[in-house]
Amino acid sequence: MRTTTPTAVALACTAVLTLTACGPFSDAAEAKPSPSATSSPPAAPDPLAGKDPAAALRDAYEETQRADTKDIRVSRTTGERQLQAYLTVTGEDWCYGSVTVMKAGAADIVTRNGVFALKGNEGFLEDHFKGRARPEPDDEGWISLKASDPSVAHLLGLCQEGLPAKTFPAERTNIRREPDTFSSQRRVAVFKSTAPGGAEITDRIMLDGTPYLVERQTGGPDFARTSYEKLRAATPSGNAGPA
């Protein structure tokens, strides 16, 4: 997001997405695997052995947040909306990607430096601006709003998933470690805990090198799941997003 138009934003963001990953937790320039696949390689030393579960979990959240750029996939239920997003989060104020509101429509979003821009199809726009005036888009279809606009709070909440240490629920209780699983021959620790409202939180921590968070899921009516699919140490060059 910079001092350019949302049109330039879209072009710059497309270029950024082609960058090669250079994972901050290993020398391998590749995406970190999803914890979905299961196989059982030979046992390896457990880097979390003997650690307090709450401290180990907090450290893993912080390790993931240290990556300058994170590609994330988010599924969330917010009120009557069911959202799915594929986003790139760089630093603490730059976020861009696509969002789909189930049974409504989809949009591209960009936010940086207190400015939020979206470009959506008619179904998304009707859902988003229901009951309020719709601002005029620019020639390329982008609508710019202030990040403080209440109507974009649920979308900015998706971006906040790229800052896991900041959203770590301090009030969670009953943090315990469950049996490990494996993903692409890599060991994954599974932690469960209870959110303040009683919902169960499941965290999956990759034990490849320094332990880091690869997935968080919260159950209940406000279901949410975030997968951290790529973590990169280097901030992309160039500018993107409205100023």
Side-chain angles (χ1 to χ4, degrees), residues 39 75 87 112 145 160 174 187 211 216:
S39 58
S75 299
L87 303 170
R112 194 181 190 189
L145 301 164
Q160 286 297 308
N174 193 26
R187 190 174 179 179
R216 175 178 64 229

Side-chain angles (χ1 to χ4, degrees), residues 16 22 35 114 169 225 232:
V16 168
C22 54
R225 178 173 59 231
R232 304 194 290 278

Side-chain angles (χ1 to χ4, degrees), residues 105-156:
D108 293 326
I109 66 169
V110 182
T111 181
R112 194 181 190 189
N113 297 335
V115 177
F116 182 92
L118 63 85
K119 180 180 180 180
N121 60 24
E122 186 61 26
F124 181 94
L125 296 176
E126 286 184 0
D127 175 81
H128 186 82
F129 292 104
K130 187 183 303 181
R132 61 186 297 239
R134 184 190 304 183
E136 286 294 323
D138 67 9
D139 292 342
E140 298 296 327
W142 287 93
I143 296 175
S144 293
L145 301 164
K146 292 182 179 180
S148 58
D149 189 316
S151 75
V152 303
H154 64 291
L155 298 174
L156 290 176

Side-chain angles (χ1 to χ4, degrees), residues 159-208:
C159 290
Q160 286 297 308
E161 291 297 314
L163 304 172
K166 286 197 168 185
T167 59
F168 186 92
E171 301 83 6
R172 66 167 73 187
T173 58
N174 193 26
I175 299 175
R176 72 274 187 194
R177 184 172 175 178
E178 300 287 325
D180 294 350
T181 60
F182 291 88
S183 172
S184 300
Q185 303 294 306
R186 294 180 174 130
R187 190 174 179 179
V188 177
V190 179
F191 287 81
K192 291 188 181 292
S193 56
T194 304
E200 183 177 74
I201 304 173
T202 302
D203 294 291
R204 292 181 170 85
I205 308 301
M206 183 64 71
L207 302 181
D208 178 24

